[in-house]
Amino acid sequence: MTSNTEYKNQKAVDYILRCAIKEGGHAGYNPYMYDLGCADNIGPSEDFNNELRKYGTIHGMVPYDTVWSYFEISDYGRQYIASKEQAYKDSVSSFKWLRSFATFLLSVIQFPCVLEGWISYVLNSIVKAIASGCLIFGIVSLVWWPVDMISMLLWSSCDYLKFMIWKKRNTFVKSMNRYADIFPQL
């Protein structure tokens, strides 16, 4: 359990360090510590403050209190964040080709689904024209309906996976709507 607490503390410290860099070297207690769930009467833990002190100076802290006014980042803190960001960029770029390849494969899988959808669209248009004269011919379109549903689910799943691979927000419903938007309405 302590490793989970340490991990959360380190993420919170990294957040404050990034905020201090963004603000020109100083991060105020308000609003940044408020973003982490602290308040004027509920300060961060002493472990958090001690970890933060490794990367700069805490100002305005009353003895025996964990609440402070602002944090001033040191050069060591700036270097620490710069090295973390560089390591992240390196790890992301090393897997970029893999993500691109996976996206390409998913697009190749989607192509037959789109082709089937257009064939189904044309056939449904023909059946609709015929069914306008005799309603019983409209039942013929139910023959390929299961194939349409499988095609839609496969295309939508590939679309959803592509968004997940690139870590972009998406829902399966939005992917299904994107599939439906490919074809005009009958």
Side-chain angles (χ1 to χ4, degrees):
M1 181 157 158
T2 55
S3 64
N4 191 23
T5 304
E6 290 171 5
Y7 175 74
K8 286 181 181 178
N9 269 349
Q10 192 58 52
K11 280 186 73 165
V13 166
D14 291 353
Y15 171 74
I16 295 298
L17 294 175
R18 285 185 174 90
C19 292
I21 291 170
K22 182 182 79 175
E23 295 293 329
H26 296 83
Y29 188 85
N30 181 5
Y32 301 114
M33 289 305 291
Y34 282 43
D35 292 343
L36 297 175
C38 296
D40 291 335
N41 60 345
I42 305 169
S45 68
E46 191 59 37
D47 291 338
F48 174 84
N49 285 340
N50 289 336
E51 186 66 26
L52 192 59
R53 282 187 186 100
K54 293 178 184 177
Y55 307 104
T57 309
I58 294 176
H59 295 279
M61 186 185 241
V62 180
Y64 309 111
D65 193 10
T66 58
V67 177
W68 36 269
S69 297
Y70 69 95
F71 169 75
E72 183 178 356
I73 192 168
S74 67
D75 288 336
Y76 176 71
R78 289 177 194 275
Q79 291 169 356
Y80 167 76
I81 290 297
S83 68
K84 276 193 104 164
E85 288 177 354
Q86 185 60 43
Y88 176 74
K89 287 178 185 177
D90 291 344
S91 70
V92 168
S93 66
S94 66
F95 288 109
K96 189 174 183 178
W97 69 269
L98 184 61
R99 287 196 264 178
S100 297
F101 182 70
T103 301
F104 173 74
L105 286 179
L106 290 170
S107 296
V108 168
I109 293 169
Q110 285 179 309
F111 180 73
C113 297
V114 172
L115 187 62
E116 186 282 329
W118 277 106
I119 292 169
S120 178
Y121 176 78
V122 170
L123 291 175
N124 276 328
S125 297
I126 293 169
V127 168
K128 183 178 178 185
I130 294 172
S132 65
C134 183
L135 186 59
I136 196 76
F137 289 113
I139 295 175
V140 174
S141 67
L142 294 177
V143 172
W144 61 79
W145 180 79
V147 175
D148 289 342
M149 292 299 106
I150 291 170
S151 177
M152 179 201 51
L153 288 173
L154 182 61
W155 190 95
S156 299
S157 297
C158 289
D159 185 66
Y160 182 71
L161 286 172
K162 285 196 286 190
F163 275 85
M164 284 181 57
I165 287 170
W166 291 100
K167 297 182 179 175
K168 299 199 177 194
R169 299 193 84 157
N170 187 32
T171 63
F172 193 75
V173 172
K174 287 180 183 176
S175 291
M176 288 174 52
N177 288 338
R178 265 193 294 283
Y179 177 78
D181 290 341
I182 293 172
F183 311 105
Q185 298 294 321
L186 281 177

